[in-house]
Amino acid sequence: MMVRTPSCDKNGLKKGTWTAEEDKKLVDYITRYGHWNWRLLPKFAGLARCGKSCRLRWLNYLRPNLKRGNYTEEEEETIIKLHRRLGNRWSTIAARMPGRTDNEIKNHWHTNLKKRSQQHNSVATESQISNSNDQSPTEPTEDTAFQNFNSATQDCSPLSQHSSSSTSTECTTVASTENLLLLEDEFAFWDADTDLVSGNFWLEPYMLDISYLPASEPEYFSQVFDVELWSHDT
DNA sequence: AAATTCGACAACCGCCAGATC
DNA sequence: AGATCTGGCGGTTGTCGAATT
């Protein structure tokens, strides 16, 4: 749908929009051999693309079981909530939302949810100001608890992509017992539906789920990919 | 009806961390 | 130990169609 002007980089590699033919080559190759090396993959797959471009195309568009668009209220609330806690850690947020990519979530955030979140925040701030005299300063809210966790573990948390060289021992020292208890509470939900993350979804990497596609799209996919498509009943 | 603005999102870019040589 | 390679991430851009003026 989004069409970028086709162009080539200095190495003669193609840039811009992927064609159906390129998609087919990429899917065919990965379905058969997997993605063992993104840099070399395009050469073996017969694509005049850089590895990064192939990787991105696969992860954000061609990978099986991706949902596309049509965010539910629940999903949007989840994104807003997670963003409030995690900030712009899109990949971490995406990991909590099976079928959604970090890129898609990021886009949806910037085009839809940011405004909504800001509105929510301004309302929340107003009510906080009006209630500030009533609230005990020692009583952590859901969000402050998370901030405590973040500040205590920001250099060593697996959630932090920019981890430093701090050792786990140092991190344990920094994170107070209180914070760790809060952490347990905060991330209780993290395990609540791990089967979504660690279960069939990830164990069936090459099962193409087309249940989310409009009626016309399975035909396109089966033509383009020349692979057997099926949706699973859950 | 034409021009302009806006919303959507695929894709690129540069940076970083970890792995490997 | 240092250099290089690779994968991954978040920020940003570019282009389209839709909506508005």
Side-chain angles (χ1 to χ4, degrees), chain A residues 3-60:
Chain A
V3 181
R4 271 178 174 257
T5 310
S7 60
C8 294
D9 70 7
K10 53 183 175 242
N11 299 318
L13 297 177
K14 195 170 172 234
K15 292 170 73 174
T17 319
W18 279 68
T19 65
E21 191 186 352
E22 287 177 310
D23 283 349
K24 181 184 181 323
K25 282 182 180 176
L26 184 58
V27 171
D28 278 353
Y29 187 85
I30 293 179
T31 302
R32 213 161 288 168
Y33 305 108
H35 44 80
W36 45 278
N37 182 311
W38 285 115
R39 191 176 65 88
L40 298 177
L41 187 148
K43 197 195 283 183
F44 283 88
L47 290 161
R49 293 271 182 177
C50 70
K52 268 192 170 187
S53 182
C54 294
R55 176 183 165 273
L56 214 62
R57 183 65 178 169
W58 172 255
L59 291 177
N60 289 336

Side-chain angles (χ1 to χ4, degrees), chain A residues 120-214:
Chain A
H120 180 276
N121 282 345
S122 61
V123 170
T125 307
E126 280 175 31
S127 71
Q128 255 186 340
I129 290 167
S130 65
N131 292 334
S132 59
N133 291 334
D134 307 332
Q135 199 166 16
S136 163
T138 57
E139 205 169 325
T141 64
E142 192 181 31
D143 287 342
T144 57
F146 189 79
Q147 282 159 14
N148 287 340
F149 157 67
N150 264 348
S151 61
T153 61
Q154 93 189 98
D155 290 332
C156 55
S157 164
L159 293 172
S160 169
Q161 61 158 358
H162 299 297
S163 56
S164 75
S165 57
S166 304
T167 66
S168 59
T169 312
E170 286 167 338
C171 292
T172 308
T173 310
V174 172
S176 67
T177 308
E178 185 185 349
N179 281 335
L180 289 174
L181 289 172
L182 289 169
L183 168 65
E184 280 183 25
D185 275 356
E186 278 294 298
F187 285 88
F189 76 95
W190 211 262
D191 297 321
D193 56 355
T194 45
D195 56 328
L196 285 175
V197 175
S198 60
N200 288 345
F201 174 71
W202 295 109
L203 293 175
E204 297 169 0
Y206 303 124
M207 182 181 286
L208 298 187
D209 184 345
I210 58 169
S211 58
Y212 56 86
L213 293 173

